Amino acid sequence: MTTYNAEISAGSLMPLESRRIAAFLLTHPDEITWRRALVEDNLLQKKAPATALRQAQLIRKRLNTMDSAAWEMIVNREQEVAVQLLLVAAVKHSQLLADFISDVYIDHQRRLNLAITSGDWEGFLIECAHRDSSISKWSASTQVKLFEVVRRILVEAKYLESTRSMKLTPQSLHPDVRRYLTSHGDSTLLERLERA
């Protein structure tokens, strides 16, 4: 069993698409209805059905790390709450993202190092390869794409100023997101995101 996978490369937080998928999941669609909504009805408004299916699958896997209460908050609450819950879902779904926040982002904060560099990503992947040798089989383009997506996620969640500067802009979680994580026993994740 591998610790890491490259699934996250299919997309960043995708707030608009994630809200649509969360609302759709609240209707408990079967597989036929799911496919029809994405391909025939073009729920995600994508040019290619393959893109819609790939992104929807990633979003669904992320959202399935949480319950319908979180989905309702993603659909109905303000952007800050929705995006923070999407970050929670992405971190729960991707060990690579979770470890990057712990090993690089939080470490940079602690050392008052105010920005992340591409060298930090390369060093991080070397460390990850010690834990999971399958990483060494990832192509250079996959590694670059993963860093792009991780940066975009952190920018969307306002943990980085921009994908260009990669300057750290630590956030406090919204009280309702904090409350949700506490009530679901996600204290480790809560601590990780609060420390970041």
Side-chain angles (χ1 to χ4, degrees):
M1 182 81 181
T2 57
T3 305
Y4 301 112
N5 64 60
E7 272 186 306
I8 196 172
S9 66
S12 57
L13 295 183
M14 301 177 282
L16 178 64
E17 295 89 342
S18 295
R19 278 188 143 150
R20 288 179 180 163
I21 294 291
F24 189 48
L25 287 175
L26 286 166
T27 69
H28 307 289
D30 60 26
E31 284 307 309
I32 293 167
T33 311
W34 170 261
R35 191 171 176 83
R36 187 185 312 122
L38 291 163
V39 176
E40 292 170 33
D41 304 338
N42 199 6
L43 176 67
L44 296 186
Q45 303 292 296
K46 300 295 174 190
K47 287 180 185 155
T51 302
L53 288 167
R54 189 175 65 253
Q55 288 185 346
Q57 182 180 355
L58 175 65
I59 293 167
R60 186 184 202 176
K61 283 181 176 180
R62 287 176 179 168
L63 292 176
N64 279 337
T65 66
M66 299 190 296
D67 61 10
S68 59
W71 302 348
E72 288 193 23
M73 289 170 74
I74 288 165
V75 172
N76 298 313
R77 293 295 303 275
E78 64 272 25
Q79 183 81 351
E80 180 189 8
V81 171
V83 166
Q84 286 185 0
L85 284 170
L86 292 174
L87 175 64
V88 166
V91 169
K92 288 175 90 151
H93 172 257
S94 172
Q95 191 62 49
L96 191 73
L97 176 60
D99 286 354
F100 184 78
I101 290 171
S102 294
D103 299 354
V104 179
Y105 193 99
I106 292 172
D107 185 59
H108 272 52
Q109 258 191 295
R110 198 176 63 245
R111 291 188 288 116
L112 302 178
N113 191 340
L114 300 180
I116 288 168
T117 67
S118 53
D120 294 322
W121 175 253
E122 290 157 16
F124 169 69
L125 285 184
I126 290 166
E127 287 300 311
C128 291
H130 291 303
R131 293 173 231 163
D132 179 352
S133 60
S134 70
I135 285 184
S136 57
K137 296 183 183 87
W138 291 352
S139 69
S141 61
T142 296
Q143 293 178 22
V144 168
K145 174 72 172 168
L146 286 166
F147 188 38
E148 284 172 13
V149 171
V150 166
R151 281 192 331 234
R152 235 178 14 252
I153 285 173
L154 293 174
V155 169
E156 288 171 340
K158 298 189 172 15
Y159 281 73
L160 287 179
E161 183 180 77
S162 72
T163 54
R164 183 166 291 175
S165 77
M166 293 191 275
K167 202 171 154 200
L168 274 59
T169 51
Q171 296 296 304
S172 287
L173 290 176
H174 188 283
D176 292 342
V177 174
R178 202 179 298 123
R179 213 174 351 265
Y180 175 84
L181 289 171
T182 302
S183 69
H184 287 76
D186 281 327
S187 55
T188 306
L189 182 53
L190 174 61
E191 187 187 337
R192 176 180 278 148
L193 294 178
E194 285 283 85
R195 279 176 64 202

